[in-house]
């Protein structure tokens, strides 16, 4: 991942406002990198105007350059409307894995004993989403059917990325599918988890059934964890894990596509929240998740300057909150611009100090 280009996927309402704030961290004057930032307008208005052609163009660009940063977008409900851009992007980028990491935010009280990071690594395609459904019969005898599918290659991608993520975090791989009830279908992911464990013997491995994973999540959260999951299980787990930390503001979401040997070939990062239209234009929304999304992308760069910049942005963001610079959702009074300004100042200071060492 040597690309110095990050494809910018613009969005709607507050999603776009927070994207613009986060992009200020990628300026050369802040991180000392000359990054190209080609833009694609994925607002609902432009998706409708282009019949989603702009979404397909954006996906091609992310595939070509390897990195994308996406604002939150509106998904219309009408069946004849343009639908979800995320579905198109996942399919055309070739994303196999979605990673969402909950982490402690300074000054925000987490639920239970949760204090170490928890990453949920889930399938990005297949399983319950996209299943074929139909009904037969009528009245009380009517029966509903659904045919789901998962692929060996995607199971392997989820398992392998989970163990590599655990190596980076110093975490254990925890949880898993309900393979005892579904040894053929869900057992495929468990088989790949076991195989990945054999390839990564230094990573602690504690497989659990999905129901036990939920039950033991809080009591087992004293150390960092990475949880590999099927698509729908992971979707539900993410919605549980992120709020455990008291706010989803500190959580970015990342779609990952893979090349040879399951090395990431493209990553698209975004915030885990939506467009929040009621906050648009008021300078009150929290840009933290979008800023952390930028940091996550740079952290996957193969060049050391990018990795250092990603680390500096992430640390500066959390230190700003620890220093009392907080938006209203975190109990503070800082606006979007004030918070971003403070993170920029701290990021520049860190990089200047590191360069002098």
């Amino acid at each position: 991942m040597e690309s110095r280009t990050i494809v910018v996927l613009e969005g709607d309402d507050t999603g776009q406002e927070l994207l613009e704030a986060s992009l200020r961290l990628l300026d050369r004057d802040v991180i000392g990198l000359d990054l190209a930032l080609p833009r694609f307008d994925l607002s609902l208005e432009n998706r409708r105007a282009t019949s989603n052609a702009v979404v397909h163009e954006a996906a091609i660009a992310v595939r070509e350059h390897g990195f994308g940063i996406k604002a939150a977008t509106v998904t219309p409900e009408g069946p004849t409307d343009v639908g979800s851009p995320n579905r198109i992007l996942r399919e055309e980028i070739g994303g196999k894995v979605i990673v969402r990491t909950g982490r402690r935010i300074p000054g925000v009280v987490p639920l239970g004993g949760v204090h170490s990071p928890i990453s949920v690594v889930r399938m990005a395609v297949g399983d319950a989403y996209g299943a074929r459904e139909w009904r037969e019969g009528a009245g009380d005898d009517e029966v509903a059917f659904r045919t789901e599918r998962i692929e060996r290659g995607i199971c392997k991608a989820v398992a392998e990325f989970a163990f590599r993520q655990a190596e980076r975090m110093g975490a254990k791989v925890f949880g898993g599918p309900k393979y005892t009830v579904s040894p053929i279908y869900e057992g495929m992911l468990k088989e790949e988890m076991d195989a990945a464990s054999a390839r990564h013997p230094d990573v602690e491995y504690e497989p659990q059934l999905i129901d036990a994973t939920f039950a033991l999540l809080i009591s087992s959260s004293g150390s960092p964890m990475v949880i590999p999951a099927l698509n729908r299980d992971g979707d539900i787990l993410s919605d549980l894990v992120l709020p455990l930390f008291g706010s989803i503001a500190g959580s970015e979401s990342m779609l990952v596509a893979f090349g040879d040997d399951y090395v990431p070939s493209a990553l698209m990062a975004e915030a885990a929240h939506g467009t929040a239209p009621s906050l648009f234009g008021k300078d009150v929304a929290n840009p933290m998740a979008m800023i952390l999304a930028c940091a996550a992308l740079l952290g996957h760069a193969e060049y050391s300057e990018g990795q250092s910049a990603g680390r500096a942005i992430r640390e500066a963001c959390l230190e700003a909150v620890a220093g009392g610079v907080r938006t209203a959702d975190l109990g503070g009074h800082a606006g979007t611009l004030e918070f971003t300004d403070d993170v920029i100042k701290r990021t520049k200071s860190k990089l200047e100090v590191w360069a002098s060492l």
Side-chain angles (χ1 to χ4, degrees):
M1 305 290 289
E2 297 181 356
S3 175
R4 303 282 178 131
T5 298
I6 296 178
V7 178
V8 178
L9 289 70
E10 299 176 345
D12 295 295
D13 301 324
T14 307
Q16 180 62 21
E17 183 179 14
L18 298 181
L19 173 68
E20 297 294 353
S22 69
L23 291 177
R24 295 175 57 205
L25 273 296
L26 300 182
D27 192 274
R28 188 184 190 284
D29 291 340
V30 178
I31 58 175
L33 294 174
D34 287 314
L35 298 174
L37 301 170
R39 288 176 173 249
F40 293 83
D41 180 3
L42 267 59
S43 65
L44 178 58
E45 180 182 11
N46 198 44
R47 282 180 278 139
R48 284 171 170 164
T50 64
S51 299
N52 275 335
V54 66
V55 185
H56 297 280
E57 293 167 3
I60 291 171
V62 174
R63 255 196 347 257
E64 176 184 353
H65 297 291
F67 291 112
I69 182 78
K70 179 183 174 294
T73 48
V74 171
T75 297
E77 295 182 2
T80 61
D81 213 324
V82 290
S84 169
N86 286 340
R87 179 188 61 79
I88 297 173
L89 291 167
R90 289 175 191 175
E91 292 175 357
E92 299 207 0
I93 292 171
K96 291 182 169 61
V97 167
I98 296 173
V99 187
R100 289 186 173 179
T101 300
R103 58 175 65 86
R104 184 77 181 269
I105 303 173
V108 177
V109 179
L111 301 180
V114 178
H115 54 83
S116 296
I118 302 174
S119 282
V120 178
V121 179
R122 61 179 263 223
M123 296 177 181
V125 293
D127 193 32
Y129 303 134
R132 188 170 72 89
E133 297 183 333
W134 72 97
R135 295 178 183 177
E136 296 179 2
D140 291 346
D141 294 325
E142 185 178 15
V143 181
F145 297 89
R146 180 168 66 193
T147 301
E148 301 175 355
R149 58 174 301 204
I150 54 175
E151 300 173 18
R152 173 73 66 179
I154 294 176
C155 290
K156 186 173 182 179
V158 168
E160 181 63 22
F161 190 90
F163 276 85
R164 294 184 186 185
Q165 179 84 342
E167 286 176 333
R168 285 192 295 268
M169 294 171 56
K172 66 179 176 182
V173 173
F174 179 85
K178 189 83 169 179
Y179 60 90
T180 53
V181 173
S182 176
I184 301 300
Y185 183 85
E186 300 196 25
M188 184 180 287
L189 176 58
K190 175 61 163 54
E191 291 165 8
E192 291 301 332
M193 289 168 58
D194 293 345
S197 176
R199 294 191 295 270
H200 301 271
D202 294 333
V203 175
E204 184 181 353
Y205 178 40
E206 187 178 335
Q208 299 283 350
L209 301 178
I210 186 62
D211 49 347
T213 300
F214 277 97
L216 298 171
L217 192 57
I218 294 179
S219 63
S220 302
S221 59
S223 59
M225 293 192 296
V226 178
I227 307 175
L230 298 168
N231 200 342
R232 189 170 66 176
D233 288 350
D235 195 359
I236 298 168
L237 267 170
S238 295
D239 289 343
L240 170 66
V241 165
L242 301 189
L244 285 178
F245 291 86
S247 172
I248 65 171
S251 307
E252 74 281 355
S253 179
M254 194 153 55
L255 174 72
V256 188
F258 297 90
D260 297 335
D261 196 27
Y262 293 90
V263 173
S265 60
L267 302 108
M268 185 186 76
E270 58 185 329
H273 55 64
T275 58
S278 64
L279 304 181
F280 180 57
K282 298 179 181 178
D283 188 37
V284 296
N286 189 345
M288 192 174 179
M290 283 302 304
I291 292 173
L292 290 171
C294 291
L297 285 181
L298 291 173
H300 281 271
E302 287 190 355
Y303 47 96
S304 59
E305 307 97 315
Q307 294 172 11
S308 294
R311 175 189 166 195
I313 292 171
R314 182 177 62 256
E315 291 182 2
C317 196
L318 296 173
E319 288 172 8
V321 178
V325 184
R326 301 174 186 170
T327 48
D329 60 307
L330 299 182
H333 303 284
T336 306
L337 294 178
E338 181 184 348
F339 182 85
T340 307
D341 287 342
D342 192 82
V343 176
I344 288 173
K345 181 180 68 175
R346 292 173 187 270
T347 300
K348 292 173 70 173
S349 177
K350 280 181 174 293
L351 291 172
E352 288 169 2
V353 170
W354 294 348
S356 67
L357 297 178

